[in-house]
Amino acid sequence: NSRTRAIILNSPCNPSGAVFSRETVEETAKIVVENDIVLISDECYDKLVYDGNKAVSPALLGDEVKKRTLLVNAFSKTFSMTGWRLGYTLGPAEIISAMTKIQSQSTSNPATPMQHGAAAALNDMSFIDKRVTEFRKRRGIIVDALNSLEGVNCVLPQGAFYAFPDFSGWMGKSISGEKIKDSLHLTNLLIDQARIAPVPGSAFGMENHLRFSYAMNTSDLEEGLKRLSEFSRLLR
């Protein structure tokens, strides 16, 4: 509406793993140009896509949208540099300059060893295809296991490394005499009783859902899914 100053586009998406089609990105870019607003494109999972899907960056759709786009990316996902807190933004010079002034007064700069590590990662990305193949395998394991549970529905993610199943069928059921109220309550029950740790869907504005990561080795993933299955058999 008239108060809108920016649109955030997150594709591939955290938490759902959805990848927006080229048509959706083009339509969003059209709205941005027509209304002369900023498009913040979160592309942190852009290399982690499956089944022929492609993460389309709006910055490549023409000069008019490019000059209104802030492309945001990070090293924590593709390169597993999570604890390094390292990322980057590409955009119009005047906006980047203002961002630099703010950051220089709050966090200074990334540590030098991390910058060298990031440069090395960008200069050799030959491992990515192998990584995507492994994530695709784990995706199949977790989605099949989730969909085998009564009352659970999980859409196949197109990118990233999360599954975001709908647990609506578990809401209102009881375990150990305790009735499940919502996604946060279910998360706490799973942590306490099954020793697995999803993220409640309420954190993403999607009640009744839980986010599970499959960015772990296969044996740990299978053990977690086994515990989830055992928990499900105790529901009444």
Side-chain angles (χ1 to χ4, degrees), residues 165-224:
D166 183 353
F167 280 82
S168 295
W170 288 20
M171 299 303 156
K173 290 192 173 184
S174 297
I175 183 166
S176 303
E178 191 170 350
K179 184 174 289 188
I180 299 173
K181 302 172 185 175
D182 52 32
S183 62
L184 178 59
H185 188 209
L186 176 56
T187 295
N188 288 329
L189 287 170
L190 288 170
I191 292 172
D192 292 340
Q193 299 190 28
R195 295 294 188 265
I196 56 177
V199 178
S202 56
F204 305 98
M206 289 288 288
E207 190 53 80
N208 296 342
H209 289 67
L210 299 180
R211 191 195 74 175
F212 292 84
S213 170
Y214 49 92
M216 63 187 69
N217 64 59
T218 301
S219 60
D220 285 345
L221 179 63
E222 291 176 337
E223 174 62 26

Short mmCIF file of all heavy atoms in Angstrom, two decimals, residues 165-224:
data_model
loop_
_atom_site.label_atom_id
_atom_site.label_comp_id
_atom_site.label_asym_id
_atom_site.label_seq_id
_atom_site.Cartn_x
_atom_site.Cartn_y
_atom_site.Cartn_z
N PRO A 165 6.78 -29.62 8.16
CA PRO A 165 5.53 -30.38 8.17
C PRO A 165 4.43 -29.73 9.00
O PRO A 165 4.68 -29.00 9.96
CB PRO A 165 5.94 -31.72 8.77
CG PRO A 165 7.12 -31.39 9.63
CD PRO A 165 7.85 -30.31 8.90
N ASP A 166 3.20 -30.05 8.62
CA ASP A 166 1.99 -29.60 9.32
C ASP A 166 1.58 -30.69 10.30
O ASP A 166 1.29 -31.82 9.91
CB ASP A 166 0.89 -29.35 8.28
CG ASP A 166 -0.39 -28.81 8.89
OD1 ASP A 166 -0.49 -28.76 10.14
OD2 ASP A 166 -1.29 -28.44 8.12
N PHE A 167 1.55 -30.34 11.58
CA PHE A 167 1.19 -31.28 12.64
C PHE A 167 -0.23 -31.02 13.16
O PHE A 167 -0.52 -31.33 14.32
CB PHE A 167 2.18 -31.18 13.80
CG PHE A 167 3.47 -31.91 13.57
CD1 PHE A 167 4.49 -31.33 12.83
CD2 PHE A 167 3.67 -33.19 14.07
CE1 PHE A 167 5.69 -31.99 12.62
CE2 PHE A 167 4.87 -33.87 13.86
CZ PHE A 167 5.88 -33.27 13.12
N SER A 168 -1.10 -30.49 12.32
CA SER A 168 -2.47 -30.18 12.76
C SER A 168 -3.15 -31.40 13.35
O SER A 168 -3.95 -31.28 14.29
CB SER A 168 -3.29 -29.64 11.58
OG SER A 168 -2.79 -28.40 11.14
N GLY A 169 -2.85 -32.58 12.80
CA GLY A 169 -3.48 -33.81 13.28
C GLY A 169 -3.06 -34.21 14.68
O GLY A 169 -3.68 -35.09 15.29
N TRP A 170 -2.02 -33.57 15.22
CA TRP A 170 -1.57 -33.88 16.58
C TRP A 170 -2.12 -32.90 17.60
O TRP A 170 -2.08 -33.18 18.81
CB TRP A 170 -0.04 -33.87 16.65
CG TRP A 170 0.61 -35.03 15.98
CD1 TRP A 170 0.06 -35.85 15.04
CD2 TRP A 170 1.94 -35.51 16.20
NE1 TRP A 170 0.96 -36.80 14.65
CE2 TRP A 170 2.13 -36.62 15.35
CE3 TRP A 170 2.99 -35.10 17.02
CZ2 TRP A 170 3.33 -37.33 15.30
CZ3 TRP A 170 4.19 -35.81 16.98
CH2 TRP A 170 4.36 -36.91 16.13
N MET A 171 -2.59 -31.76 17.13
CA MET A 171 -3.08 -30.76 18.07
C MET A 171 -4.35 -31.26 18.77
O MET A 171 -5.27 -31.78 18.13
CB MET A 171 -3.36 -29.44 17.34
CG MET A 171 -2.12 -28.84 16.68
SD MET A 171 -0.79 -28.57 17.88
CE MET A 171 0.65 -28.59 16.81
N GLY A 172 -4.39 -31.10 20.07
CA GLY A 172 -5.53 -31.57 20.85
C GLY A 172 -5.37 -32.98 21.37
O GLY A 172 -6.12 -33.40 22.26
N LYS A 173 -4.39 -33.71 20.83
CA LYS A 173 -4.13 -35.05 21.35
C LYS A 173 -3.32 -34.95 22.63
O LYS A 173 -2.74 -33.92 22.95
CB LYS A 173 -3.39 -35.89 20.31
CG LYS A 173 -4.27 -36.27 19.11
CD LYS A 173 -3.62 -37.33 18.26
CE LYS A 173 -4.58 -37.81 17.16
NZ LYS A 173 -3.99 -38.92 16.38
N SER A 174 -3.26 -36.05 23.35
CA SER A 174 -2.57 -36.05 24.64
C SER A 174 -1.42 -37.04 24.65
O SER A 174 -1.44 -38.06 23.96
CB SER A 174 -3.54 -36.41 25.77
OG SER A 174 -4.56 -35.44 25.88
N ILE A 175 -0.41 -36.71 25.45
CA ILE A 175 0.69 -37.62 25.70
C ILE A 175 1.07 -37.50 27.16
O ILE A 175 1.19 -36.39 27.70
CB ILE A 175 1.90 -37.31 24.78
CG1 ILE A 175 3.01 -38.33 25.01
CG2 ILE A 175 2.41 -35.89 24.98
CD1 ILE A 175 4.09 -38.32 23.93
N SER A 176 1.17 -38.64 27.83
CA SER A 176 1.44 -38.67 29.28
C SER A 176 0.43 -37.81 30.05
O SER A 176 0.78 -37.13 31.01
CB SER A 176 2.86 -38.20 29.57
OG SER A 176 3.81 -38.97 28.87
N GLY A 177 -0.81 -37.79 29.56
CA GLY A 177 -1.86 -37.04 30.22
C GLY A 177 -1.86 -35.56 29.95
O GLY A 177 -2.67 -34.82 30.51
N GLU A 178 -0.98 -35.09 29.06
CA GLU A 178 -0.86 -33.67 28.76
C GLU A 178 -1.35 -33.40 27.34
O GLU A 178 -0.85 -33.99 26.38
CB GLU A 178 0.60 -33.22 28.92
CG GLU A 178 0.79 -31.72 28.89
CD GLU A 178 2.20 -31.32 29.28
OE1 GLU A 178 2.97 -32.19 29.76
OE2 GLU A 178 2.53 -30.14 29.12
N LYS A 179 -2.34 -32.53 27.21
CA LYS A 179 -2.92 -32.24 25.90
C LYS A 179 -2.05 -31.23 25.14
O LYS A 179 -1.63 -30.21 25.68
CB LYS A 179 -4.34 -31.68 26.06
CG LYS A 179 -5.07 -31.45 24.73
CD LYS A 179 -6.51 -31.03 24.94
CE LYS A 179 -7.35 -32.19 25.45
NZ LYS A 179 -8.80 -31.84 25.47
N ILE A 180 -1.79 -31.53 23.86
CA ILE A 180 -0.95 -30.65 23.03
C ILE A 180 -1.75 -29.41 22.65
O ILE A 180 -2.83 -29.51 22.04
CB ILE A 180 -0.47 -31.39 21.77
CG1 ILE A 180 0.39 -32.60 22.17
CG2 ILE A 180 0.33 -30.44 20.86
CD1 ILE A 180 0.78 -33.49 21.01
N LYS A 181 -1.22 -28.23 22.97
CA LYS A 181 -1.94 -26.98 22.76
C LYS A 181 -1.61 -26.31 21.42
O LYS A 181 -2.49 -25.83 20.72
CB LYS A 181 -1.62 -26.00 23.90
CG LYS A 181 -1.95 -26.53 25.28
CD LYS A 181 -1.43 -25.59 26.35
CE LYS A 181 -1.64 -26.14 27.75
NZ LYS A 181 -1.03 -25.27 28.79
N ASP A 182 -0.32 -26.22 21.10
CA ASP A 182 0.10 -25.49 19.90
C ASP A 182 1.51 -25.93 19.52
O ASP A 182 2.08 -26.84 20.14
CB ASP A 182 0.06 -23.97 20.14
CG ASP A 182 0.80 -23.55 21.40
OD1 ASP A 182 1.81 -24.20 21.75
OD2 ASP A 182 0.37 -22.57 22.04
N SER A 183 2.10 -25.29 18.51
CA SER A 183 3.41 -25.73 18.01
C SER A 183 4.52 -25.54 19.04
O SER A 183 5.45 -26.36 19.12
CB SER A 183 3.75 -25.00 16.71
OG SER A 183 3.85 -23.60 16.91
N LEU A 184 4.45 -24.48 19.83
CA LEU A 184 5.47 -24.27 20.86
C LEU A 184 5.38 -25.34 21.94
O LEU A 184 6.40 -25.88 22.39
CB LEU A 184 5.33 -22.88 21.48
CG LEU A 184 6.30 -22.54 22.61
CD1 LEU A 184 7.74 -22.64 22.13
CD2 LEU A 184 6.02 -21.14 23.16
N HIS A 185 4.16 -25.66 22.34
CA HIS A 185 3.95 -26.71 23.35
C HIS A 185 4.46 -28.04 22.83
O HIS A 185 5.15 -28.79 23.56
CB HIS A 185 2.46 -26.78 23.69
CG HIS A 185 2.17 -27.69 24.84
ND1 HIS A 185 0.97 -28.36 24.96
CD2 HIS A 185 2.91 -28.06 25.92
CE1 HIS A 185 0.99 -29.09 26.07
NE2 HIS A 185 2.15 -28.92 26.66
N LEU A 186 4.13 -28.36 21.57
CA LEU A 186 4.59 -29.62 20.99
C LEU A 186 6.12 -29.66 20.92
O LEU A 186 6.74 -30.69 21.20
CB LEU A 186 3.98 -29.80 19.59
CG LEU A 186 4.44 -31.03 18.81
CD1 LEU A 186 4.18 -32.31 19.59
CD2 LEU A 186 3.75 -31.09 17.44
N THR A 187 6.73 -28.54 20.55
CA THR A 187 8.19 -28.48 20.49
C THR A 187 8.81 -28.79 21.84
O THR A 187 9.76 -29.58 21.95
CB THR A 187 8.65 -27.08 20.02
OG1 THR A 187 8.21 -26.87 18.68
CG2 THR A 187 10.16 -26.95 20.09
N ASN A 188 8.27 -28.19 22.89
CA ASN A 188 8.80 -28.42 24.24
C ASN A 188 8.61 -29.87 24.68
O ASN A 188 9.48 -30.46 25.34
CB ASN A 188 8.15 -27.47 25.23
CG ASN A 188 8.63 -26.04 25.06
OD1 ASN A 188 9.76 -25.81 24.66
ND2 ASN A 188 7.77 -25.08 25.37
N LEU A 189 7.49 -30.46 24.30
CA LEU A 189 7.25 -31.87 24.63
C LEU A 189 8.26 -32.77 23.92
O LEU A 189 8.78 -33.73 24.50
CB LEU A 189 5.83 -32.27 24.24
CG LEU A 189 4.70 -31.73 25.13
CD1 LEU A 189 3.35 -31.99 24.48
CD2 LEU A 189 4.76 -32.36 26.52
N LEU A 190 8.55 -32.45 22.65
CA LEU A 190 9.51 -33.25 21.89
C LEU A 190 10.91 -33.11 22.46
O LEU A 190 11.69 -34.07 22.50
CB LEU A 190 9.48 -32.84 20.42
CG LEU A 190 8.23 -33.27 19.64
CD1 LEU A 190 8.19 -32.60 18.27
CD2 LEU A 190 8.20 -34.79 19.48
N ILE A 191 11.25 -31.91 22.90
CA ILE A 191 12.57 -31.70 23.52
C ILE A 191 12.68 -32.50 24.82
O ILE A 191 13.66 -33.20 25.06
CB ILE A 191 12.81 -30.20 23.79
CG1 ILE A 191 12.98 -29.45 22.46
CG2 ILE A 191 14.05 -30.01 24.66
CD1 ILE A 191 13.03 -27.94 22.63
N ASP A 192 11.65 -32.41 25.66
CA ASP A 192 11.68 -33.04 26.98
C ASP A 192 11.55 -34.56 26.92
O ASP A 192 12.24 -35.28 27.65
CB ASP A 192 10.56 -32.48 27.86
CG ASP A 192 10.79 -31.02 28.23
OD1 ASP A 192 11.94 -30.57 28.15
OD2 ASP A 192 9.81 -30.34 28.59
N GLN A 193 10.66 -35.04 26.04
CA GLN A 193 10.33 -36.46 26.07
C GLN A 193 10.99 -37.29 24.97
O GLN A 193 11.20 -38.49 25.13
CB GLN A 193 8.81 -36.64 26.01
CG GLN A 193 8.08 -35.99 27.18
CD GLN A 193 6.61 -36.37 27.26
OE1 GLN A 193 6.23 -37.45 26.82
NE2 GLN A 193 5.80 -35.50 27.82
N ALA A 194 11.29 -36.66 23.83
CA ALA A 194 11.90 -37.41 22.73
C ALA A 194 13.35 -37.01 22.49
O ALA A 194 14.05 -37.67 21.72
CB ALA A 194 11.08 -37.21 21.44
N ARG A 195 13.79 -35.92 23.13
CA ARG A 195 15.16 -35.43 22.97
C ARG A 195 15.46 -35.08 21.51
O ARG A 195 16.53 -35.38 20.99
CB ARG A 195 16.17 -36.44 23.50
CG ARG A 195 16.08 -36.67 25.01
CD ARG A 195 16.47 -35.39 25.77
NE ARG A 195 16.60 -35.61 27.21
CZ ARG A 195 15.63 -35.38 28.09
NH1 ARG A 195 14.44 -34.95 27.67
NH2 ARG A 195 15.81 -35.57 29.38
N ILE A 196 14.49 -34.47 20.84
CA ILE A 196 14.72 -33.89 19.52
C ILE A 196 14.26 -32.44 19.56
O ILE A 196 13.38 -32.08 20.35
CB ILE A 196 13.98 -34.66 18.40
CG1 ILE A 196 12.48 -34.76 18.67
CG2 ILE A 196 14.56 -36.06 18.24
CD1 ILE A 196 11.71 -35.44 17.56
N ALA A 197 14.85 -31.61 18.71
CA ALA A 197 14.64 -30.16 18.85
C ALA A 197 14.27 -29.49 17.53
O ALA A 197 15.13 -28.93 16.84
CB ALA A 197 15.90 -29.51 19.43
N PRO A 198 12.99 -29.52 17.18
CA PRO A 198 12.53 -28.72 16.04
C PRO A 198 12.32 -27.27 16.47
O PRO A 198 12.55 -26.91 17.62
CB PRO A 198 11.20 -29.38 15.68
CG PRO A 198 10.69 -29.89 16.99
CD PRO A 198 11.91 -30.31 17.78
N VAL A 199 11.91 -26.44 15.52
CA VAL A 199 11.56 -25.05 15.81
C VAL A 199 10.06 -24.89 15.60
O VAL A 199 9.53 -25.34 14.58
CB VAL A 199 12.32 -24.07 14.88
CG1 VAL A 199 11.90 -22.63 15.16
CG2 VAL A 199 13.83 -24.24 15.07
N PRO A 200 9.34 -24.28 16.54
CA PRO A 200 7.88 -24.15 16.39
C PRO A 200 7.50 -23.27 15.21
O PRO A 200 8.15 -22.25 14.95
CB PRO A 200 7.44 -23.53 17.73
CG PRO A 200 8.66 -22.84 18.25
CD PRO A 200 9.83 -23.67 17.80
N GLY A 201 6.45 -23.66 14.53
CA GLY A 201 5.98 -22.88 13.38
C GLY A 201 5.53 -21.48 13.75
O GLY A 201 5.55 -20.58 12.91
N SER A 202 5.14 -21.28 15.00
CA SER A 202 4.69 -19.96 15.43
C SER A 202 5.79 -18.92 15.27
O SER A 202 5.52 -17.73 15.10
CB SER A 202 4.22 -20.00 16.88
OG SER A 202 5.24 -20.51 17.74
N ALA A 203 7.06 -19.35 15.31
CA ALA A 203 8.19 -18.43 15.12
C ALA A 203 8.21 -17.87 13.71
O ALA A 203 8.84 -16.82 13.46
CB ALA A 203 9.50 -19.15 15.42
N PHE A 204 7.53 -18.54 12.78
CA PHE A 204 7.49 -18.10 11.38
C PHE A 204 6.09 -17.66 10.96
O PHE A 204 5.82 -17.47 9.76
CB PHE A 204 7.95 -19.24 10.47
CG PHE A 204 9.31 -19.78 10.81
CD1 PHE A 204 9.43 -20.94 11.56
CD2 PHE A 204 10.46 -19.14 10.39
CE1 PHE A 204 10.68 -21.45 11.89
CE2 PHE A 204 11.71 -19.64 10.71
CZ PHE A 204 11.82 -20.80 11.46
N GLY A 205 5.19 -17.52 11.93
CA GLY A 205 3.83 -17.13 11.60
C GLY A 205 2.99 -18.25 11.03
O GLY A 205 1.96 -18.01 10.40
N MET A 206 3.40 -19.50 11.25
CA MET A 206 2.67 -20.66 10.73
C MET A 206 2.40 -21.64 11.87
O MET A 206 3.17 -22.57 12.11
CB MET A 206 3.47 -21.34 9.62
CG MET A 206 3.53 -20.55 8.34
SD MET A 206 1.96 -20.53 7.44
CE MET A 206 1.90 -22.20 6.82
N GLU A 207 1.35 -21.40 12.59
CA GLU A 207 0.98 -22.26 13.71
C GLU A 207 0.68 -23.68 13.21
O GLU A 207 0.28 -23.87 12.05
CB GLU A 207 -0.24 -21.67 14.42
CG GLU A 207 -0.58 -22.33 15.74
CD GLU A 207 0.60 -22.39 16.69
OE1 GLU A 207 0.90 -21.38 17.35
OE2 GLU A 207 1.23 -23.46 16.76
N ASN A 208 0.88 -24.65 14.08
CA ASN A 208 0.67 -26.08 13.84
C ASN A 208 1.80 -26.73 13.04
O ASN A 208 1.80 -27.94 12.84
CB ASN A 208 -0.67 -26.37 13.14
CG ASN A 208 -1.85 -26.00 14.01
OD1 ASN A 208 -1.72 -25.83 15.22
ND2 ASN A 208 -3.02 -25.86 13.39
N HIS A 209 2.74 -25.94 12.53
CA HIS A 209 3.88 -26.49 11.81
C HIS A 209 5.10 -26.56 12.73
O HIS A 209 5.18 -25.85 13.73
CB HIS A 209 4.23 -25.63 10.59
CG HIS A 209 3.24 -25.71 9.49
ND1 HIS A 209 1.95 -25.22 9.60
CD2 HIS A 209 3.34 -26.21 8.23
CE1 HIS A 209 1.30 -25.42 8.46
NE2 HIS A 209 2.13 -26.01 7.62
N LEU A 210 6.05 -27.43 12.36
CA LEU A 210 7.35 -27.48 13.01
C LEU A 210 8.42 -27.48 11.93
O LEU A 210 8.24 -28.09 10.87
CB LEU A 210 7.51 -28.75 13.86
CG LEU A 210 6.54 -28.98 15.03
CD1 LEU A 210 6.89 -30.29 15.73
CD2 LEU A 210 6.59 -27.83 16.02
N ARG A 211 9.54 -26.82 12.20
CA ARG A 211 10.65 -26.85 11.24
C ARG A 211 11.72 -27.83 11.72
O ARG A 211 12.18 -27.76 12.85
CB ARG A 211 11.28 -25.46 11.08
CG ARG A 211 12.27 -25.40 9.91
CD ARG A 211 13.15 -24.19 9.97
NE ARG A 211 14.17 -24.31 11.01
CZ ARG A 211 15.14 -23.43 11.23
NH1 ARG A 211 15.21 -22.33 10.49
NH2 ARG A 211 16.03 -23.62 12.19
N PHE A 212 12.09 -28.75 10.82
CA PHE A 212 13.16 -29.69 11.09
C PHE A 212 14.30 -29.44 10.10
O PHE A 212 14.06 -29.27 8.91
CB PHE A 212 12.68 -31.14 10.92
CG PHE A 212 11.68 -31.59 11.95
CD1 PHE A 212 10.33 -31.30 11.78
CD2 PHE A 212 12.07 -32.30 13.06
CE1 PHE A 212 9.39 -31.71 12.72
CE2 PHE A 212 11.14 -32.73 14.00
CZ PHE A 212 9.81 -32.42 13.83
N SER A 213 15.52 -29.46 10.59
CA SER A 213 16.69 -29.34 9.71
C SER A 213 17.22 -30.72 9.37
O SER A 213 17.25 -31.61 10.23
CB SER A 213 17.78 -28.51 10.40
OG SER A 213 18.99 -28.59 9.67
N TYR A 214 17.63 -30.90 8.12
CA TYR A 214 18.34 -32.14 7.77
C TYR A 214 19.79 -31.86 7.40
O TYR A 214 20.44 -32.61 6.66
CB TYR A 214 17.61 -32.94 6.68
CG TYR A 214 17.18 -32.20 5.44
CD1 TYR A 214 18.00 -32.12 4.33
CD2 TYR A 214 15.91 -31.62 5.36
CE1 TYR A 214 17.58 -31.49 3.17
CE2 TYR A 214 15.48 -30.99 4.21
CZ TYR A 214 16.33 -30.92 3.12
OH TYR A 214 15.91 -30.29 1.96
N ALA A 215 20.35 -30.78 7.97
CA ALA A 215 21.77 -30.47 7.82
C ALA A 215 22.57 -31.18 8.92
O ALA A 215 23.15 -30.55 9.80
CB ALA A 215 21.99 -28.96 7.87
N MET A 216 22.54 -32.50 8.86
CA MET A 216 23.25 -33.33 9.85
C MET A 216 23.56 -34.65 9.18
O MET A 216 23.06 -34.94 8.09
CB MET A 216 22.37 -33.54 11.09
CG MET A 216 21.08 -34.30 10.79
SD MET A 216 19.95 -34.37 12.20
CE MET A 216 19.44 -32.66 12.31
N ASN A 217 24.38 -35.45 9.82
CA ASN A 217 24.71 -36.73 9.18
C ASN A 217 23.49 -37.66 9.21
O ASN A 217 22.58 -37.51 10.02
CB ASN A 217 25.94 -37.38 9.83
CG ASN A 217 25.71 -37.76 11.28
OD1 ASN A 217 24.82 -38.54 11.59
ND2 ASN A 217 26.53 -37.22 12.18
N THR A 218 23.48 -38.61 8.30
CA THR A 218 22.31 -39.47 8.09
C THR A 218 21.97 -40.28 9.33
O THR A 218 20.78 -40.47 9.65
CB THR A 218 22.55 -40.40 6.89
OG1 THR A 218 22.81 -39.62 5.72
CG2 THR A 218 21.33 -41.27 6.63
N SER A 219 22.96 -40.77 10.05
CA SER A 219 22.67 -41.59 11.23
C SER A 219 21.96 -40.78 12.31
O SER A 219 21.01 -41.28 12.95
CB SER A 219 23.96 -42.20 11.79
OG SER A 219 24.88 -41.19 12.17
N ASP A 220 22.37 -39.54 12.53
CA ASP A 220 21.70 -38.68 13.50
C ASP A 220 20.28 -38.36 13.04
O ASP A 220 19.34 -38.31 13.85
CB ASP A 220 22.48 -37.38 13.71
CG ASP A 220 23.74 -37.58 14.54
OD1 ASP A 220 23.86 -38.64 15.18
OD2 ASP A 220 24.61 -36.69 14.53
N LEU A 221 20.13 -38.11 11.75
CA LEU A 221 18.80 -37.81 11.19
C LEU A 221 17.86 -39.00 11.41
O LEU A 221 16.72 -38.83 11.88
CB LEU A 221 18.94 -37.51 9.71
CG LEU A 221 17.65 -37.19 8.94
CD1 LEU A 221 16.99 -35.93 9.48
CD2 LEU A 221 17.95 -37.03 7.44
N GLU A 222 18.33 -40.18 11.11
CA GLU A 222 17.49 -41.38 11.26
C GLU A 222 17.17 -41.65 12.73
O GLU A 222 16.07 -42.08 13.05
CB GLU A 222 18.18 -42.57 10.61
CG GLU A 222 18.23 -42.46 9.09
CD GLU A 222 19.00 -43.59 8.44
OE1 GLU A 222 19.86 -44.20 9.14
OE2 GLU A 222 18.76 -43.86 7.25
N GLU A 223 18.11 -41.38 13.62
CA GLU A 223 17.86 -41.56 15.04
C GLU A 223 16.78 -40.58 15.52
O GLU A 223 15.88 -40.95 16.29
CB GLU A 223 19.15 -41.35 15.84
CG GLU A 223 18.98 -41.37 17.35
CD GLU A 223 18.46 -42.69 17.90
OE1 GLU A 223 18.69 -43.74 17.25
OE2 GLU A 223 17.84 -42.69 18.99
N GLY A 224 16.87 -39.32 15.07
CA GLY A 224 15.86 -38.34 15.45
C GLY A 224 14.47 -38.72 14.94
O GLY A 224 13.48 -38.57 15.67
#
